[in-house]
Amino acid sequence: RFPSYAVRQRLETGGSSKSKETWFLSISTREGETPLAFAGDSEGYVHIFKRCDLSQVNAFDKLFELLWKVKAHELGVSKIVAVPMESFLFTLSYDQKLKAMDSVSGQTVFQETNQCNTVFNSIAWDSTSQDVIVADNKGNLGFYNLIQETWITWKNVSDESILEVHLLPSKTRLLLLMPHSLQVLEILRGVKFKELKEHSGPVVSISSRSMNEGGVLYTAAMDNTIRMWDAETLECIKCIKEKKEEITAMIYLPRANVIITGHENSDLKMWSLDCEQAYLRTVTGQSVHENTISALIVVHVHGDSSVQPENTPTGFELVVAGSYDR
């Protein structure tokens, strides 16, 4: 048959006990001036084999020799990945741990235990972002960043076990192989995430406002506060307190540049947050609702531009309020 192969060398695990059978479960290689072969066995040992100097041996001598062997895991090493152009390698084990090891000394750089108490199935390496990408038996996907030394994301993306994870060369798409499907995920980086915990009560509404430089967010909550946030830094800029009726709804009017809040007693209030001291604006009119304001929306009504001077805004903003009354 073609092609034909001839065995040049057999590499043994050298089990710790003659009465216990030991076998290799995973293997990886690293090319370079001194090619290396990495293997993980069923007892949790990692073996590193170094390429022999071929100029000093004949064709019948061994090609690789054992450089070192170290106990890395309590159970078998299911996956081992050597990182090109780097001096470390990653291992996954049935002891539910991910480890990074120095391929020169064999020392552990870091280790992480699966936070969902299951086995890691697969691993990939993103050299651009310095992320270790792992998937497990419960459909969880995690990104561990070596620079920050922490998990930057951990998310359940499937009800099925993820058997293999493969990062495409573009570094923006991830292939996930499941028992009955193949998922393609788009990787979005640079998206900021932060939990805003300044409110002490349930948040009833959030609105955004675009500006020439960045933007702001407005939030209202049942702790009777309205807060203004920098959309870039997500820091609270201003906070105003409603001293009487509980806030149940909020909307931002971009043209009028004011905040409208609805309240438990059916009141509607108008706020201006752009001044140094945010304040409640005086409004006229009587409430038409008899119960709690449950929702607010703004409707932009366009006017007749033919009767207005050029570059003059036309139309107006209409606030529509919903309530629990009948």
Side-chain angles (χ1 to χ4, degrees):
R1 292 183 178 182
F2 182 83
S4 61
Y5 297 95
V7 176
R8 293 285 301 275
Q9 183 182 359
R10 185 184 299 273
L11 301 176
E12 303 287 347
T13 60
S16 60
S17 172
K18 293 183 179 180
S19 62
K20 184 176 181 180
E21 185 178 3
T22 307
W23 56 92
F24 288 125
L25 298 178
S26 54
I27 190 168
S28 181
T29 60
R30 178 188 294 151
E31 298 180 357
E33 293 183 3
T34 305
L36 297 174
F38 307 89
D41 70 22
S42 55
E43 290 190 356
Y45 282 91
V46 171
H47 309 245
I48 292 190
F49 299 92
K50 181 181 70 171
R51 180 74 177 268
C52 297
D53 187 353
L54 298 183
S55 64
Q56 300 179 9
V57 298
N58 58 46
F60 299 99
D61 288 327
K62 61 183 181 179
L63 301 178
F64 285 90
E65 61 180 357
L66 183 64
L67 186 61
W68 53 258
K69 171 184 174 181
V70 65
K71 179 74 169 178
H73 294 276
E74 295 301 317
L75 299 177
V77 180
S78 58
K79 296 284 184 181
I80 186 167
V81 175
V83 179
M85 309 303 293
E86 300 286 352
S87 63
F88 52 84
L89 61 117
F90 301 111
T91 59
L92 301 180
S93 170
Y94 294 111
D95 61 9
Q96 303 181 2
K97 290 182 179 179
L98 156 70
K99 279 193 177 184
M101 303 178 64
D102 188 310
S103 61
V104 177
S105 65
Q107 297 296 315
T108 299
V109 179
F110 75 85
Q111 69 174 23
E112 291 289 329
T113 302
N114 192 310
Q115 53 192 283
C116 293
N117 299 318
T118 190
V119 176
F120 290 114
N121 282 342
S122 187
I123 185 170
W125 168 247
D126 185 346
S127 58
T128 303
S129 300
Q130 297 284 290
D131 289 334
V132 185
I133 307 171
V134 292
D136 69 19
N137 212 32
K138 292 183 178 179
N140 298 305
L141 182 68
F143 284 64
Y144 185 94
N145 186 265
L146 261 65
I147 300 175
Q148 300 180 29
E149 298 183 348
T150 186
W151 294 100
I152 57 174
T153 185
W154 179 270
K155 187 176 183 181
N156 183 267
V157 296
S158 174
D159 294 330
E160 294 185 291
S161 171
I162 301 175
L163 304 178
E164 290 288 341
V165 55
H166 178 71
L167 183 66
L168 293 179
S170 63
K171 310 291 186 184
T172 60
R173 286 188 178 179
L174 201 63
L175 301 183
L176 305 180
L177 176 65
M178 271 80 73
H180 303 97
S181 63
L182 176 66
Q183 283 190 17
V184 182
L185 302 184
E186 197 80 21
I187 302 175
L188 301 178
R189 298 188 182 277
V191 179
K192 294 182 179 180
F193 172 80
K194 183 178 180 181
E195 291 186 3
L196 310 179
K197 299 182 178 180
E198 278 76 359
H199 283 294
S200 59
V203 177
V204 298
S205 184
I206 181 170
S207 296
S208 62
R209 171 189 169 193
S210 298
M211 303 175 68
N212 292 332
E213 297 181 0
V216 295
L217 300 175
Y218 300 104
T219 57
M222 288 186 178
D223 58 8
N224 272 19
T225 62
I226 305 169
R227 293 180 181 269
M228 180 177 176
W229 310 80
D230 186 304
E232 291 295 324
T233 63
L234 297 180
E235 299 294 331
C236 184
I237 303 172
K238 291 181 182 178
C239 176
I240 55 177
K241 178 79 174 178
E242 162 60 26
K243 299 179 180 180
K244 297 181 180 179
E245 301 298 332
E246 185 178 86
I247 299 173
T248 55
M250 180 200 72
I251 193 69
Y252 169 67
L253 276 61
R255 183 169 176 177
N257 193 25
V258 294
I259 293 290
I260 304 293
T261 54
H263 298 262
E264 189 176 25
N265 68 340
S266 78
D267 281 353
L268 292 176
K269 297 185 178 181
M270 182 183 296
W271 307 82
S272 178
L273 276 68
D274 264 4
C275 304
E276 287 189 12
Q277 295 295 329
Y279 65 95
L280 175 65
R281 297 184 59 167
T282 303
V283 295
T284 59
Q286 299 296 321
S287 175
V288 296
H289 290 291
E290 300 175 352
N291 207 331
T292 302
I293 302 296
S294 58
L296 292 171
I297 63 171
V298 58
V299 178
H300 302 277
V301 181
H302 299 284
D304 186 357
S305 60
S306 62
V307 298
Q308 296 287 342
E310 188 177 356
N311 298 326
T312 301
T314 62
F316 57 92
E317 293 171 321
L318 182 67
V319 176
V320 181
S323 174
Y324 293 117
D325 56 10
R326 297 182 179 180

